[in-house]
Amino acid sequence: MDLEELRSKIDHVDDAIFELFEQRMALTKDIAKEKQHEGLGVQNKIREREILTRLSKKDPELTTYTRMLYTTLFSVSKSLQRQSLFAGTSY
């Protein structure tokens, strides 16, 4: 497979990842509303650790990168939750 074919495959994967990212962010806004309703804060370190542990087991060779990716994703999600709680629900 040549470089252009590989890049095309990466583009398709990136498109799929973005669609899933949009879905995750929509759910993040729903979670923010539920947390507000229940009087909970945005951050939940226990939940974050559970997710990191579960996903890191899927491919031990990628554990470091999985943790990097999801730490960033948690940060983005918490930012969106705060925005949803304090500035409406648009993004």
Side-chain angles (χ1 to χ4, degrees):
M1 195 174 300
D2 70 11
L3 185 58
E4 284 305 311
E5 290 172 317
L6 291 168
R7 286 181 174 161
S8 178
K9 287 182 177 263
I10 286 282
D11 289 345
H12 289 294
V13 170
D14 285 343
D15 289 343
I17 289 170
F18 187 78
E19 287 178 25
L20 292 171
F21 177 71
E22 285 181 311
Q23 290 175 33
R24 193 181 201 287
M25 292 299 99
L27 289 166
T28 294
K29 290 179 0 182
D30 293 341
I31 287 170
K33 290 177 197 173
E34 189 59 31
K35 283 180 176 179
Q36 185 176 38
H37 176 75
E38 293 182 17
L40 299 172
V42 168
Q43 187 155 342
N44 184 337
K45 289 188 180 214
I46 293 171
R47 173 73 174 144
E48 290 177 18
R49 274 193 299 266
E50 289 171 351
I51 292 168
L52 289 173
T53 298
R54 178 176 56 86
L55 295 177
S56 293
K57 290 177 183 176
K58 290 184 176 283
D59 188 339
E61 288 185 29
L62 294 177
T63 294
T64 299
Y65 306 106
T66 300
R67 290 181 177 277
M68 290 169 60
L69 173 63
Y70 276 84
T71 298
T72 301
L73 188 55
F74 296 153
S75 179
V76 169
S77 295
K78 288 182 280 194
S79 177
L80 181 57
Q81 283 185 37
R82 287 183 190 100
Q83 177 184 341
S84 296
L85 293 174
F86 299 112
T89 58
S90 62
Y91 65 92

Coordinates of all heavy atoms in Angstrom, one line a residue:
M1 N 0.9 -1.2 0.0 CA 0.0 0.0 0.0 C 0.9 1.2 0.0 O 1.8 1.3 0.8 CB -0.9 0.0 1.2 CG -2.0 0.9 1.2 SD -3.2 0.8 2.6 CE -3.7 -0.9 2.4
D2 N 0.6 2.2 -0.9 CA 1.4 3.4 -0.9 C 1.0 4.5 0.1 O -0.1 4.3 0.7 CB 1.5 3.9 -2.4 CG 0.2 4.6 -2.9 OD1 -0.7 4.8 -2.0 OD2 0.1 4.9 -4.1
L3 N 1.7 5.5 0.2 CA 1.5 6.6 1.1 C 0.1 7.2 1.0 O -0.6 7.5 1.9 CB 2.6 7.6 1.1 CG 2.6 8.7 2.1 CD1 2.6 8.2 3.5 CD2 3.7 9.7 1.9
E4 N -0.3 7.5 -0.3 CA -1.6 8.1 -0.5 C -2.7 7.2 -0.1 O -3.7 7.7 0.5 CB -1.7 8.5 -2.0 CG -0.9 9.7 -2.4 CD -1.3 10.9 -1.5 OE1 -2.5 11.2 -1.3 OE2 -0.3 11.6 -1.0
E5 N -2.6 5.9 -0.3 CA -3.7 5.0 0.1 C -3.7 5.0 1.7 O -4.8 4.9 2.2 CB -3.4 3.6 -0.4 CG -3.6 3.5 -1.9 CD -3.1 2.1 -2.5 OE1 -2.1 1.7 -2.1 OE2 -3.9 1.6 -3.3
L6 N -2.6 4.9 2.3 CA -2.5 4.9 3.8 C -3.1 6.2 4.3 O -3.9 6.2 5.3 CB -1.1 4.8 4.3 CG -0.5 3.4 4.0 CD1 1.0 3.4 4.3 CD2 -1.2 2.3 4.9
R7 N -2.8 7.4 3.7 CA -3.4 8.6 4.1 C -4.9 8.7 3.9 O -5.6 9.2 4.8 CB -2.7 9.8 3.4 CG -1.3 10.0 4.0 CD -0.6 11.2 3.3 NE 0.6 11.5 3.9 CZ 1.6 12.2 3.3 NH1 1.4 12.7 2.1 NH2 2.7 12.4 4.0
S8 N -5.4 8.1 2.9 CA -6.8 8.0 2.6 C -7.5 7.2 3.7 O -8.6 7.6 4.2 CB -7.1 7.4 1.3 OG -8.4 7.3 1.0
K9 N -6.9 6.1 4.1 CA -7.4 5.3 5.2 C -7.4 6.1 6.5 O -8.4 6.0 7.3 CB -6.6 4.0 5.3 CG -6.9 3.0 4.2 CD -6.1 1.7 4.5 CE -6.5 0.7 3.4 NZ -7.5 -0.2 3.8
I10 N -6.4 6.8 6.8 CA -6.3 7.6 8.0 C -7.4 8.7 7.9 O -8.1 8.9 8.9 CB -4.9 8.3 8.1 CG1 -3.9 7.4 8.5 CG2 -5.0 9.5 9.1 CD1 -3.9 7.0 10.0
D11 N -7.7 9.3 6.8 CA -8.8 10.3 6.6 C -10.1 9.7 7.0 O -10.9 10.3 7.7 CB -8.8 10.9 5.2 CG -7.6 11.8 4.9 OD1 -6.9 12.2 5.9 OD2 -7.4 12.0 3.7
H12 N -10.3 8.4 6.6 CA -11.6 7.8 6.9 C -11.7 7.5 8.4 O -12.8 7.7 9.0 CB -11.8 6.5 6.0 CG -12.0 6.7 4.6 ND1 -13.1 7.3 4.1 CD2 -11.2 6.5 3.5 CE1 -13.0 7.4 2.8 NE2 -11.9 6.9 2.4
V13 N -10.6 7.1 9.0 CA -10.6 6.8 10.4 C -10.9 8.1 11.1 O -11.7 8.2 12.1 CB -9.3 6.1 10.8 CG1 -9.2 6.1 12.4 CG2 -9.3 4.7 10.3
D14 N -10.2 9.2 10.7 CA -10.4 10.5 11.4 C -11.8 11.0 11.3 O -12.4 11.5 12.2 CB -9.5 11.6 10.7 CG -8.0 11.4 11.2 OD1 -7.8 10.7 12.2 OD2 -7.1 12.0 10.5
D15 N -12.5 10.7 10.1 CA -13.9 11.1 10.0 C -14.8 10.3 11.0 O -15.7 10.9 11.6 CB -14.4 10.9 8.5 CG -13.8 11.9 7.5 OD1 -13.2 12.9 8.0 OD2 -13.8 11.6 6.3
A16 N -14.5 9.1 11.1 CA -15.2 8.2 12.0 C -15.0 8.7 13.5 O -15.9 8.8 14.3 CB -14.9 6.8 11.9
I17 N -13.7 9.0 13.8 CA -13.4 9.4 15.2 C -14.2 10.7 15.4 O -14.7 10.9 16.5 CB -11.9 9.6 15.3 CG1 -11.2 8.3 15.4 CG2 -11.6 10.4 16.6 CD1 -9.7 8.3 15.3
F18 N -14.2 11.6 14.5 CA -14.9 12.9 14.7 C -16.4 12.7 14.9 O -16.9 13.4 15.8 CB -14.6 13.9 13.5 CG -15.2 15.3 13.8 CD1 -14.5 16.1 14.7 CD2 -16.4 15.6 13.3 CE1 -15.0 17.4 15.0 CE2 -16.9 16.9 13.6 CZ -16.2 17.7 14.5
E19 N -17.0 11.8 14.2 CA -18.4 11.6 14.4 C -18.6 11.1 15.8 O -19.6 11.5 16.5 CB -18.9 10.6 13.4 CG -19.1 11.1 12.0 CD -19.5 10.1 11.0 OE1 -20.2 9.1 11.4 OE2 -19.3 10.3 9.8
L20 N -17.8 10.2 16.3 CA -17.9 9.7 17.6 C -17.6 10.8 18.7 O -18.3 10.8 19.7 CB -17.0 8.5 17.8 CG -17.4 7.2 17.1 CD1 -16.3 6.2 17.2 CD2 -18.7 6.7 17.5
F21 N -16.7 11.6 18.4 CA -16.4 12.8 19.2 C -17.6 13.7 19.4 O -17.9 14.1 20.5 CB -15.2 13.6 18.7 CG -14.8 14.8 19.5 CD1 -14.3 14.7 20.7 CD2 -15.0 16.0 18.9 CE1 -13.9 15.8 21.4 CE2 -14.7 17.2 19.6 CZ -14.1 17.1 20.9
E22 N -18.3 14.0 18.2 CA -19.5 14.8 18.3 C -20.5 14.1 19.2 O -21.2 14.8 20.0 CB -20.1 15.0 16.9 CG -19.3 16.0 16.1 CD -20.0 16.1 14.7 OE1 -20.3 15.1 14.0 OE2 -20.2 17.3 14.3
Q23 N -20.7 12.8 19.1 CA -21.6 12.1 19.9 C -21.2 12.2 21.4 O -22.1 12.4 22.3 CB -21.7 10.6 19.5 CG -22.4 10.4 18.2 CD -22.3 8.9 17.7 OE1 -22.4 8.0 18.6 NE2 -22.2 8.7 16.4
R24 N -20.0 12.0 21.7 CA -19.5 12.1 23.0 C -19.7 13.5 23.6 O -20.1 13.6 24.8 CB -18.0 11.7 23.1 CG -17.5 11.4 24.6 CD -16.1 11.1 24.6 NE -15.7 10.3 25.8 CZ -15.6 10.9 27.0 NH1 -15.9 12.1 27.2 NH2 -15.2 10.1 28.0
M25 N -19.5 14.5 22.9 CA -19.7 15.8 23.4 C -21.2 16.1 23.6 O -21.5 16.8 24.6 CB -19.1 16.9 22.4 CG -17.5 16.8 22.3 SD -16.7 17.2 23.9 CE -16.3 15.5 24.4
A26 N -22.0 15.6 22.8 CA -23.5 15.8 23.0 C -23.9 15.1 24.3 O -24.6 15.6 25.1 CB -24.3 15.2 21.8
L27 N -23.3 13.9 24.5 CA -23.6 13.2 25.8 C -23.0 13.9 27.0 O -23.6 14.0 28.1 CB -23.0 11.8 25.7 CG -23.8 10.8 24.8 CD1 -23.0 9.6 24.6 CD2 -25.2 10.5 25.4
T28 N -21.9 14.6 26.8 CA -21.2 15.3 27.8 C -22.1 16.5 28.3 O -22.2 16.8 29.5 CB -19.9 15.9 27.3 OG1 -19.0 14.8 27.1 CG2 -19.2 16.9 28.3
K29 N -22.8 17.1 27.3 CA -23.7 18.2 27.7 C -24.9 17.6 28.5 O -25.3 18.2 29.5 CB -24.2 18.9 26.4 CG -23.1 19.8 25.8 CD -23.4 20.5 24.6 CE -24.7 20.5 24.0 NZ -24.8 21.3 22.7
D30 N -25.4 16.5 28.1 CA -26.5 15.8 28.8 C -26.0 15.5 30.3 O -26.8 15.6 31.2 CB -26.9 14.6 28.1 CG -27.6 14.8 26.8 OD1 -28.1 16.0 26.6 OD2 -27.7 13.9 26.0
I31 N -24.8 15.0 30.4 CA -24.2 14.7 31.7 C -24.1 15.9 32.5 O -24.4 15.9 33.7 CB -22.9 14.0 31.6 CG1 -23.1 12.5 31.1 CG2 -22.1 14.0 32.9 CD1 -21.9 11.8 30.7
A32 N -23.7 17.0 32.0 CA -23.6 18.3 32.7 C -25.0 18.7 33.3 O -25.1 19.1 34.4 CB -23.1 19.4 31.8
K33 N -26.0 18.5 32.5 CA -27.4 18.8 33.0 C -27.8 17.9 34.1 O -28.4 18.4 35.1 CB -28.4 18.7 31.8 CG -28.3 19.7 30.7 CD -29.3 19.4 29.6 CE -29.0 20.2 28.4 NZ -29.9 19.8 27.3
E34 N -27.5 16.7 34.0 CA -27.8 15.7 35.0 C -27.0 16.0 36.3 O -27.6 15.9 37.4 CB -27.6 14.3 34.6 CG -28.1 13.2 35.5 CD -29.6 13.3 35.8 OE1 -30.4 13.8 34.9 OE2 -30.0 12.9 36.9
K35 N -25.7 16.3 36.2 CA -24.9 16.6 37.3 C -25.5 17.9 38.0 O -25.5 17.9 39.2 CB -23.5 16.8 36.9 CG -22.7 15.6 36.6 CD -21.3 15.9 36.2 CE -20.4 14.6 36.0 NZ -19.0 15.0 35.7
Q36 N -25.9 18.8 37.2 CA -26.5 20.1 37.8 C -27.7 19.7 38.6 O -27.9 20.2 39.7 CB -26.7 21.1 36.7 CG -27.2 22.4 37.3 CD -27.4 23.5 36.2 OE1 -27.8 23.1 35.1 NE2 -27.0 24.7 36.5
H37 N -28.6 18.9 38.0 CA -29.8 18.5 38.6 C -29.6 17.8 39.9 O -30.3 17.9 40.9 CB -30.6 17.6 37.6 CG -31.9 17.0 38.2 ND1 -33.0 17.8 38.4 CD2 -32.2 15.8 38.6 CE1 -33.9 17.0 38.9 NE2 -33.5 15.8 39.1
E38 N -28.5 16.9 40.0 CA -28.2 16.2 41.2 C -27.3 16.9 42.1 O -26.9 16.4 43.2 CB -27.5 14.8 40.8 CG -28.5 13.9 40.0 CD -27.9 12.6 39.7 OE1 -26.8 12.2 40.3 OE2 -28.4 11.9 38.8
G39 N -26.9 18.1 41.7 CA -26.0 18.9 42.6 C -24.6 18.5 42.7 O -23.9 18.7 43.7
L40 N -24.1 17.8 41.6 CA -22.8 17.3 41.6 C -21.8 18.3 40.9 O -22.3 19.0 40.0 CB -22.7 15.9 40.9 CG -23.6 14.8 41.5 CD1 -23.6 13.6 40.6 CD2 -23.1 14.5 42.9
G41 N -20.5 18.2 41.2 CA -19.5 18.9 40.5 C -19.2 18.3 39.1 O -19.6 17.2 38.8
V42 N -18.4 19.1 38.4 CA -18.0 18.6 37.0 C -17.0 17.4 37.1 O -17.2 16.4 36.4 CB -17.4 19.8 36.2 CG1 -16.8 19.3 34.9 CG2 -18.5 20.8 35.9
Q43 N -16.0 17.5 38.0 CA -15.0 16.6 38.0 C -15.4 15.3 38.8 O -15.9 15.4 39.9 CB -13.7 17.2 38.6 CG -12.5 16.2 38.5 CD -11.2 17.0 38.5 OE1 -11.2 18.1 38.2 NE2 -10.1 16.3 38.7
N44 N -15.0 14.2 38.2 CA -15.2 12.9 38.9 C -14.0 12.0 38.7 O -13.9 11.3 37.7 CB -16.5 12.2 38.4 CG -16.8 10.9 39.2 OD1 -15.9 10.3 39.8 ND2 -18.0 10.5 39.1
K45 N -13.0 12.2 39.5 CA -11.7 11.5 39.3 C -11.8 10.0 39.4 O -11.1 9.2 38.7 CB -10.7 11.9 40.4 CG -10.2 13.3 40.1 CD -9.0 13.7 41.0 CE -8.6 15.1 40.7 NZ -7.2 15.3 40.9
I46 N -12.8 9.5 40.2 CA -13.0 8.0 40.2 C -13.5 7.5 38.9 O -12.9 6.5 38.4 CB -14.0 7.7 41.4 CG1 -13.4 8.0 42.7 CG2 -14.4 6.2 41.3 CD1 -14.4 7.9 43.9
R47 N -14.4 8.2 38.3 CA -14.9 7.8 37.0 C -13.8 7.8 35.9 O -13.6 6.9 35.1 CB -16.1 8.6 36.6 CG -16.6 8.4 35.2 CD -17.3 7.2 35.0 NE -17.9 7.1 33.6 CZ -18.0 6.1 32.9 NH1 -17.7 4.9 33.4 NH2 -18.5 6.1 31.7
E48 N -13.0 8.9 36.0 CA -11.9 9.0 35.0 C -10.9 7.8 35.2 O -10.5 7.2 34.2 CB -11.1 10.3 35.2 CG -12.0 11.5 34.8 CD -11.3 12.8 35.1 OE1 -10.0 12.9 35.3 OE2 -12.0 13.9 35.1
R49 N -10.6 7.5 36.4 CA -9.7 6.3 36.7 C -10.3 5.0 36.2 O -9.5 4.2 35.6 CB -9.3 6.2 38.2 CG -8.2 7.1 38.6 CD -7.7 6.7 40.0 NE -8.7 6.9 41.0 CZ -8.9 8.0 41.7 NH1 -8.1 9.0 41.6 NH2 -9.8 8.0 42.6
E50 N -11.6 4.9 36.4 CA -12.2 3.6 35.9 C -12.1 3.5 34.4 O -11.8 2.5 33.8 CB -13.7 3.6 36.3 CG -13.9 3.4 37.7 CD -15.4 3.7 38.1 OE1 -16.2 4.2 37.3 OE2 -15.7 3.4 39.3
I51 N -12.3 4.6 33.7 CA -12.3 4.6 32.2 C -10.8 4.3 31.8 O -10.6 3.5 30.9 CB -12.8 6.0 31.6 CG1 -14.3 6.1 31.9 CG2 -12.4 6.1 30.1 CD1 -14.8 7.5 31.6
L52 N -9.9 5.0 32.4 CA -8.5 4.8 32.0 C -8.0 3.3 32.2 O -7.4 2.7 31.4 CB -7.5 5.7 32.8 CG -7.6 7.2 32.3 CD1 -6.8 8.1 33.3 CD2 -7.2 7.4 30.9
T53 N -8.4 2.8 33.3 CA -8.1 1.4 33.7 C -8.7 0.4 32.6 O -8.0 -0.5 32.1 CB -8.5 1.0 35.1 OG1 -7.8 1.9 36.0 CG2 -8.2 -0.4 35.4
R54 N -10.0 0.6 32.4 CA -10.7 -0.3 31.4 C -10.1 -0.2 30.0 O -9.8 -1.2 29.4 CB -12.2 0.1 31.4 CG -13.0 -0.7 30.4 CD -14.5 -0.3 30.5 NE -14.8 1.1 30.2 CZ -14.9 1.7 29.0 NH1 -14.8 0.9 27.9 NH2 -15.2 3.0 28.9
L55 N -9.8 1.0 29.5 CA -9.3 1.1 28.2 C -7.9 0.8 28.1 O -7.4 0.2 27.0 CB -9.6 2.6 27.7 CG -11.0 3.0 27.5 CD1 -11.1 4.4 27.1 CD2 -11.7 2.1 26.5
S56 N -7.1 1.0 29.1 CA -5.7 0.6 29.1 C -5.5 -0.9 28.9 O -4.5 -1.4 28.4 CB -5.0 1.1 30.3 OG -4.9 2.5 30.3
K57 N -6.4 -1.7 29.4 CA -6.4 -3.1 29.3 C -6.6 -3.6 27.9 O -6.2 -4.8 27.6 CB -7.4 -3.8 30.3 CG -7.0 -3.6 31.7 CD -8.1 -4.2 32.6 CE -7.8 -3.9 34.1 NZ -8.9 -4.4 35.0
K58 N -7.2 -2.8 27.1 CA -7.5 -3.3 25.7 C -6.3 -3.6 24.9 O -6.3 -4.5 24.1 CB -8.4 -2.3 25.0 CG -9.8 -2.2 25.6 CD -10.7 -1.3 24.8 CE -12.1 -1.3 25.3 NZ -12.8 -2.5 24.9
D59 N -5.3 -2.7 25.1 CA -4.0 -2.9 24.3 C -2.9 -2.4 25.2 O -2.6 -1.2 25.1 CB -4.0 -2.2 23.0 CG -2.8 -2.6 22.1 OD1 -1.8 -3.0 22.7 OD2 -2.9 -2.4 20.9
P60 N -2.2 -3.2 26.0 CA -1.2 -2.8 26.9 C -0.1 -2.0 26.2 O 0.5 -1.1 26.8 CB -0.7 -4.1 27.5 CG -1.8 -5.0 27.5 CD -2.5 -4.7 26.2
E61 N 0.2 -2.3 25.0 CA 1.3 -1.6 24.2 C 0.9 -0.1 24.0 O 1.8 0.8 23.8 CB 1.6 -2.2 22.9 CG 2.3 -3.5 23.0 CD 2.7 -4.1 21.7 OE1 2.9 -3.3 20.7 OE2 2.8 -5.3 21.6
L62 N -0.4 0.2 24.0 CA -0.9 1.6 23.8 C -1.3 2.3 25.1 O -1.8 3.4 25.0 CB -2.0 1.6 22.8 CG -1.7 1.1 21.4 CD1 -3.0 1.0 20.6 CD2 -0.7 2.0 20.8
T63 N -1.0 1.7 26.2 CA -1.4 2.3 27.5 C -1.0 3.7 27.7 O -1.9 4.6 28.0 CB -1.0 1.4 28.7 OG1 -1.6 0.2 28.6 CG2 -1.3 2.1 30.0
T64 N 0.2 4.0 27.4 CA 0.7 5.4 27.6 C -0.1 6.4 26.7 O -0.5 7.4 27.1 CB 2.2 5.5 27.3 OG1 2.9 4.7 28.2 CG2 2.7 6.9 27.4
Y65 N -0.3 6.0 25.5 CA -1.0 6.8 24.5 C -2.5 6.9 24.8 O -3.1 7.9 24.6 CB -0.7 6.3 23.1 CG 0.8 6.2 22.8 CD1 1.4 5.0 22.8 CD2 1.6 7.3 22.7 CE1 2.8 4.9 22.6 CE2 3.0 7.2 22.6 CZ 3.6 6.0 22.5 OH 4.9 5.9 22.3
T66 N -3.0 5.8 25.2 CA -4.4 5.8 25.6 C -4.7 6.8 26.8 O -5.6 7.6 26.7 CB -4.9 4.4 26.1 OG1 -4.7 3.5 25.0 CG2 -6.3 4.4 26.5
R67 N -3.8 6.8 27.7 CA -3.9 7.7 28.9 C -3.7 9.1 28.4 O -4.4 10.0 28.9 CB -2.9 7.3 30.0 CG -3.2 6.0 30.7 CD -2.2 5.7 31.8 NE -2.7 4.5 32.4 CZ -3.6 4.4 33.4 NH1 -4.1 5.6 33.8 NH2 -3.9 3.3 34.0
M68 N -2.8 9.4 27.5 CA -2.6 10.7 27.0 C -3.8 11.2 26.3 O -4.3 12.3 26.5 CB -1.4 10.8 26.0 CG -0.1 10.6 26.7 SD 1.3 10.3 25.5 CE 1.3 11.8 24.6
L69 N -4.4 10.4 25.4 CA -5.6 10.7 24.6 C -6.8 11.0 25.6 O -7.4 12.0 25.4 CB -5.9 9.6 23.7 CG -7.2 9.8 22.9 CD1 -7.2 11.0 22.0 CD2 -7.5 8.5 22.1
Y70 N -7.0 10.1 26.5 CA -8.2 10.3 27.3 C -8.0 11.3 28.4 O -9.0 12.0 28.8 CB -8.6 8.9 27.9 CG -9.5 8.2 26.9 CD1 -8.9 7.4 25.9 CD2 -10.8 8.4 26.9 CE1 -9.7 6.8 24.9 CE2 -11.6 7.7 25.9 CZ -11.0 7.0 25.0 OH -11.8 6.4 24.0
T71 N -6.8 11.6 28.8 CA -6.6 12.7 29.7 C -7.0 14.0 29.0 O -7.7 14.9 29.6 CB -5.2 12.8 30.2 OG1 -4.9 11.6 31.0 CG2 -4.9 14.0 31.1
T72 N -6.6 14.1 27.8 CA -7.0 15.3 27.0 C -8.5 15.3 26.8 O -9.2 16.4 26.9 CB -6.3 15.3 25.6 OG1 -4.9 15.3 25.9 CG2 -6.7 16.5 24.8
L73 N -9.1 14.2 26.4 CA -10.5 14.1 26.2 C -11.3 14.5 27.5 O -12.3 15.2 27.4 CB -10.9 12.7 25.7 CG -12.3 12.5 25.3 CD1 -12.7 13.5 24.2 CD2 -12.5 11.1 24.8
F74 N -10.8 14.0 28.6 CA -11.5 14.4 29.9 C -11.4 15.9 30.1 O -12.4 16.5 30.5 CB -10.8 13.7 31.1 CG -10.9 12.2 31.1 CD1 -10.0 11.5 31.7 CD2 -12.0 11.6 30.5 CE1 -10.1 10.1 31.8 CE2 -12.1 10.2 30.5 CZ -11.1 9.4 31.1
S75 N -10.3 16.5 29.8 CA -10.2 18.0 29.9 C -11.1 18.7 29.0 O -11.8 19.7 29.5 CB -8.7 18.4 29.6 OG -8.6 19.7 29.7
V76 N -11.2 18.3 27.8 CA -12.2 18.9 26.8 C -13.6 18.7 27.3 O -14.4 19.6 27.3 CB -12.0 18.3 25.4 CG1 -13.1 18.7 24.5 CG2 -10.6 18.7 24.9
S77 N -13.9 17.5 27.8 CA -15.3 17.2 28.3 C -15.7 18.1 29.5 O -16.8 18.6 29.6 CB -15.4 15.7 28.6 OG -15.3 14.9 27.5
K78 N -14.7 18.2 30.4 CA -15.0 19.0 31.6 C -15.2 20.5 31.2 O -16.0 21.2 31.8 CB -13.9 18.9 32.6 CG -13.9 17.5 33.3 CD -12.9 17.3 34.4 CE -11.5 17.0 33.8 NZ -10.5 16.5 34.7
S79 N -14.4 21.0 30.3 CA -14.5 22.3 29.8 C -15.9 22.6 29.2 O -16.6 23.6 29.5 CB -13.4 22.6 28.8 OG -13.6 23.9 28.3
L80 N -16.3 21.6 28.4 CA -17.7 21.7 27.8 C -18.8 21.6 28.8 O -19.8 22.4 28.7 CB -17.9 20.6 26.7 CG -19.2 20.7 26.0 CD1 -19.5 22.0 25.3 CD2 -19.3 19.5 25.0
Q81 N -18.6 20.8 29.8 CA -19.6 20.7 30.9 C -19.7 22.1 31.6 O -20.8 22.5 31.9 CB -19.2 19.6 31.9 CG -19.5 18.2 31.4 CD -19.2 17.2 32.5 OE1 -19.5 17.4 33.7 NE2 -18.7 16.0 32.1
R82 N -18.5 22.7 31.9 CA -18.6 24.0 32.6 C -19.2 25.0 31.8 O -20.0 25.8 32.2 CB -17.1 24.4 33.0 CG -16.5 23.6 34.1 CD -15.1 24.1 34.5 NE -14.5 23.2 35.4 CZ -13.6 22.3 35.1 NH1 -13.2 22.1 33.8 NH2 -13.1 21.4 36.0
Q83 N -18.9 25.0 30.5 CA -19.5 26.0 29.5 C -21.0 25.7 29.5 O -21.8 26.7 29.5 CB -18.9 25.8 28.1 CG -19.6 26.8 27.1 CD -19.1 26.5 25.7 OE1 -18.0 26.0 25.5 NE2 -19.8 27.0 24.8
S84 N -21.4 24.5 29.4 CA -22.9 24.2 29.4 C -23.6 24.6 30.6 O -24.7 25.1 30.6 CB -23.1 22.7 29.2 OG -22.6 22.2 27.9
L85 N -22.9 24.5 31.8 CA -23.6 24.9 33.0 C -23.6 26.4 33.2 O -24.6 26.9 33.8 CB -22.8 24.2 34.2 CG -22.9 22.7 34.3 CD1 -22.0 22.2 35.4 CD2 -24.3 22.2 34.5
F86 N -22.6 27.1 32.8 CA -22.5 28.5 33.1 C -22.8 29.4 31.9 O -23.0 30.6 32.1 CB -21.1 28.8 33.7 CG -20.9 28.0 34.9 CD1 -19.9 27.1 35.0 CD2 -21.6 28.3 36.1 CE1 -19.7 26.3 36.1 CE2 -21.4 27.6 37.2 CZ -20.4 26.6 37.3
A87 N -22.9 28.9 30.7 CA -23.1 29.8 29.6 C -24.1 29.2 28.6 O -24.0 29.4 27.4 CB -21.8 30.1 28.9
G88 N -25.1 28.4 29.0 CA -26.0 27.8 28.1 C -25.5 26.5 27.7 O -24.5 26.0 28.2
T89 N -26.1 25.9 26.7 CA -25.7 24.5 26.2 C -25.2 24.5 24.8 O -25.2 23.5 24.2 CB -26.9 23.6 26.4 OG1 -28.0 24.1 25.6 CG2 -27.3 23.4 27.8
S90 N -24.8 25.6 24.2 CA -24.3 25.6 22.9 C -22.8 25.4 22.9 O -22.1 25.7 23.9 CB -24.7 26.9 22.1 OG -24.1 28.0 22.8
Y91 N -22.3 24.9 21.8 CA -20.8 24.8 21.6 C -20.4 25.1 20.2 O -21.2 25.2 19.3 CB -20.3 23.5 22.1 CG -20.7 22.2 21.4 CD1 -19.9 21.7 20.4 CD2 -21.8 21.5 21.8 CE1 -20.3 20.6 19.7 CE2 -22.2 20.4 21.2 CZ -21.4 19.9 20.1 OH -21.8 18.7 19.5

